[in-house]
Amino acid sequence: IEKKVLKKGEFEYEIENSGNRDIVPKGEIRIFDRRGAEVTTLPVNQSKVSLEPEDLKQLASIWNVVKSLGRYKATLNLYYGEHGQASVQDTIFLWIMPWQYIFGFVFIFIIFTLILIMIMQRGMRHEGRGQVSTTRRIKVIDIRSHHDASESR
């Protein structure tokens, strides 16, 4: 089984019948959130596509994703044979990040950066204004020269 997630909520998977009898696979894709709670179950091969021996078919299931964000696990469970006694399982992990969330995050980041730049520029412009000088001028008197001048008189 080769699987991939193409677009929003579409799971595609290829199934190859390596046996010597026709099969009609059926089953489900179970989707779990990051906490392990089952979100939904999607039917597999609702149109009852048959695979002849040595046949390779591509099937798809669609998940109508609500606005959700985060990591999910999708488990594919396929059953085939006369009474569904044979099975194939596979698991993928995927991230769902709706463009609205990404756009909102980028927008907030840009606004925050612009505000930070404005604050820093304002601080640089006002750097010389309103500051109290901490340097003092001290008058130094050389006592020796003053003393030497009074002795010579």
Side-chain angles (χ1 to χ4, degrees):
I1 296 176
E2 183 181 320
K3 72 262 178 232
K4 54 187 169 179
V5 179
L6 291 178
K7 24 184 167 161
K8 184 179 176 182
E10 184 175 306
F11 293 91
E12 260 188 18
Y13 37 93
E14 287 183 347
I15 302 172
E16 182 177 6
N17 181 0
S18 58
N20 57 5
R21 295 183 181 168
D22 289 2
I23 61 169
V24 180
K26 53 188 167 208
E28 74 271 345
I29 296 175
R30 296 174 62 198
I31 300 174
F32 301 90
D33 65 13
R34 64 183 168 90
R35 287 179 246 124
E38 187 172 337
V39 176
T40 191
T41 301
L42 307 173
V44 170
N45 196 15
Q46 277 187 306
S47 57
K48 297 186 177 137
V49 173
S50 177
L51 279 88
E52 297 175 5
E54 304 302 320
D55 203 3
L56 178 70
K57 297 258 173 137
Q58 187 167 343
L59 302 174
S61 295
I62 297 175
W63 175 25
N64 295 321
V65 183
V66 293
K67 287 185 182 179
S68 56
L69 176 71
R71 183 176 184 237
Y72 290 84
K73 176 174 94 170
T75 305
L76 173 66
N77 298 306
L78 284 177
Y79 308 99
Y80 59 93
E82 272 187 45
H83 302 289
Q85 71 272 17
S87 65
V88 176
Q89 287 92 23
D90 205 352
T91 301
I92 62 167
F93 293 90
L94 57 131
W95 282 88
I96 294 181
M97 297 185 74
W99 67 268
Q100 296 92 341
Y101 288 104
I102 295 170
F103 179 74
F105 176 76
V106 169
F107 180 75
I108 290 170
F109 179 76
I110 289 171
I111 295 296
F112 177 76
T113 303
L114 290 175
I115 290 172
L116 190 63
I117 289 170
M118 288 171 41
I119 290 171
M120 290 175 67
Q121 285 179 344
R122 183 174 288 169
M124 284 187 225
R125 264 190 273 148
H126 296 296
E127 198 169 282
R129 297 183 194 164
Q131 293 184 349
V132 177
S133 175
T134 56
T135 52
R136 289 185 171 176
R137 294 192 141 193
I138 301 173
K139 188 174 183 182
V140 178
I141 302 173
D142 189 359
I143 300 175
R144 291 178 297 170
S145 63
H146 211 286
H147 184 37
D148 289 340
S150 58
E151 283 181 14
S152 60
R153 286 189 201 167

